[in-house]
Amino acid sequence: MNETSFFGDVITNFDKAAKYLDYPSGLLEQIKECNSIYHFRFPVETDDGVEVVSAWRVEHSHHRMPTKGGIRYSLDVNEDEVKALAALMTYKCAVVDVPFGGAKGGIKINPKEYTANQLQRITRRYTAELVKKNFIGPGVDVPAPDYGTGEREMAWMVDTYLALNPGSLDGTACVTGKPISQGGIRGRREATGRGVYFAVREACAKADDMKKLGLTPGLEGKRVVVQGLGNVGYHAAKFLQEGGAVIVGLAEYEGAIYNPKGFDVDEVVKHRKSTRSILSYPGAKNISSSKDALELECDILIPAALEKQITGENAARIKAKIIGEGANGPTSSDAEEVLVNKGILILPDMYCNAGGVTVSYFEWLKNLQHVRMGRMAKRYTESSYSQLLSVIEKVTGESFTPDERERTIQGPDEEALVNSGLEDTMISAYNEIREVSKQYKGISLRTAAFISSIDKIAKSYLEMGIFP
Ligand code: NAD
């Protein structure tokens, strides 16, 4: 079967959804193509001499500013991939009502082949190149971590940006996903995985949808397989386990493990750290290829590694009833058709993994406000609740235990506010796209999510008065 390009898949999904909407073709064209594509090369000194690396930053849509999207370090990075991921960011932000346009960046390297010093030099040089061309800034374009990058790289980026923009008052808002000490926000590290958990939990809560899948409502006891034990996969697996699901399969690039009785995610991570492999975990069956793990017997499959994992080639063999896309683009468009025909419920990437950008938005707001969320209100809330409890005690003549009092009066701190904002966002967005899917007689959630986001973006262009 012929596989289209990743960006081609995004276009296919866009066109499928656009048919349900009545917007001028010029406007749809403006939305779907990438606005700015910057491909550049720069030299890096390694032990073997000087190597020239390729890098990209793509800004897909400027209908909202700044643009926003992660930075990926991988040998598979290419222009098609960065364009696709930038476009997905636009639609993702619209689905969860985060007021950014979409962007994405990448450097074509295998980060495992470089020392920390070399990676620092590469990251700082990449940032300086973005500054030179005005592809980074709190009101321009705001990167974040993605595959192969994390808090450390974001700290290097913000430091480089501030060095080149001395005195910039809002400069720390030039990237998100930073360490807390560098202006990061509590809960960002776990946000994408936690968002995947909220998405799956919300989907499982709909009794009528679960009945159609032959499943009972609720997360309790649902068997889950997760591919990729990185930031997204690990946290998704951990929160799903804490929420009552049973993790029966875990896959990494070296292979996978399966135990129908389930295993503890943190114990598997410890085992992988000490043996340098996920394989041979006590009591679990080894599976030699990560891709084979996608076909394991389970209720919920979470691909959380890379794109194009479920394709026309293996889609028919997928046994899960629900797929929660932790990764971006794990399902190709021809695979989607096969899965939908099998009645599988797909929670699309542009919704399911939107927790990261949602909390990145909170971090950006924190940086612009220059104050930690909850700092002003926490104690005030606690003292108001405490007074309220005292009045209740006086009126009823009954007393609360110290434990009851402490739990009830608790004012929200930064982490509690972030998690609550994330939970609310994921629940509201799910119900919004589910309603669209019902409105158009059971179209897939992906098409519904595209319809919802294209509609929001088109309205914003029309209200700008750009299109008649
Ligand atoms: P990461 O680098 O932290 O983790 C990726 C993991 O996948 C690594 O542990 C890697 O070893 C593993 N992996 C690589 N190839 C594999 C294979 N063939 N089979 C199984 N495992 C494999 O990256 P991440 O940030 O967790 O990103 C994973 C996916 O989630 C990407 O598609 C990314 O675009 C998407 N995503 C990430 C975020 C975020 O906040 N980090 C947000 C939204 C979407």
Side-chain angles (χ1 to χ4, degrees), residues 417-433:
L417 287 168
V418 162
N419 292 342
S420 148
L422 172 62
E423 183 171 10
D424 185 57
T425 302
M426 295 308 291
I427 292 174
S428 310
Y430 187 73
N431 287 295
E432 192 174 296
I433 58 173

Side-chain angles (χ1 to χ4, degrees), residues 72 85 92 104 112 145-148 188 192 227-233 251-253 272 290 304-306 309 326-328 353 356:
R72 181 175 283 203
L85 292 167
K92 188 181 300 186
K104 201 80 185 187
K112 294 195 177 96
D146 190 66
Y147 187 92
R188 172 61 183 90
T192 309
Q227 185 197 41
L229 254 190
N231 181 310
V232 179
E252 257 296 334
Y253 63 84
R272 186 166 188 247
S290 156
L306 282 172
Q309 294 303 296
N328 282 309
N353 69 31

